[in-house]
Amino acid sequence: MKIDATDMCSHLQRKLFSADGEYRAIREQIERDPELTAVVRSRQLHIYRNGKKVLILAGKSAPKIVREDELLKLL
């Protein structure tokens, strides 16, 4: 799955898509793992595993952990 950066906070875009971004590993995992989906809402990235919300990434604030998941090891 490719992540659509339309309507995404510019700080979050830098963290996800730059070579040294702190969320780069999470983006790569989302693109590889078919169980993971990501949707941009309110300029934040909401990440789901099998339809259940796992994590919310925002540009300037800390990630919001909704549910324990193996993806959290990449933070």
Side-chain angles (χ1 to χ4, degrees):
M1 159 177 203
K2 292 287 183 185
I3 299 173
D4 181 19
T6 308
D7 298 329
M8 186 184 293
C9 172
S10 62
H11 298 284
L12 181 56
Q13 286 180 14
R14 257 183 261 124
K15 288 181 178 183
L16 280 171
F17 297 109
S18 68
D20 59 342
E22 62 184 277
Y23 298 150
R24 182 184 53 82
I26 292 175
R27 177 185 49 86
E28 291 172 350
Q29 185 65 29
I30 292 169
E31 291 174 350
R32 280 193 304 256
D33 193 341
E35 293 180 347
L36 291 173
T37 56
V39 178
V40 177
R41 291 198 179 112
S42 302
R43 301 175 56 91
Q44 300 174 341
L45 188 68
H46 294 243
I47 302 170
Y48 298 84
R49 180 178 299 279
N50 296 324
K52 296 183 180 181
K53 192 179 293 188
V54 175
L55 182 65
I56 301 172
L57 299 177
K60 288 188 175 181
S61 64
K64 296 173 187 84
I65 300 169
V66 177
R67 185 181 316 275
E68 289 298 318
D69 189 80
E70 62 192 43
L71 186 66
L72 303 178
K73 296 175 189 173
L74 301 175
L75 285 177

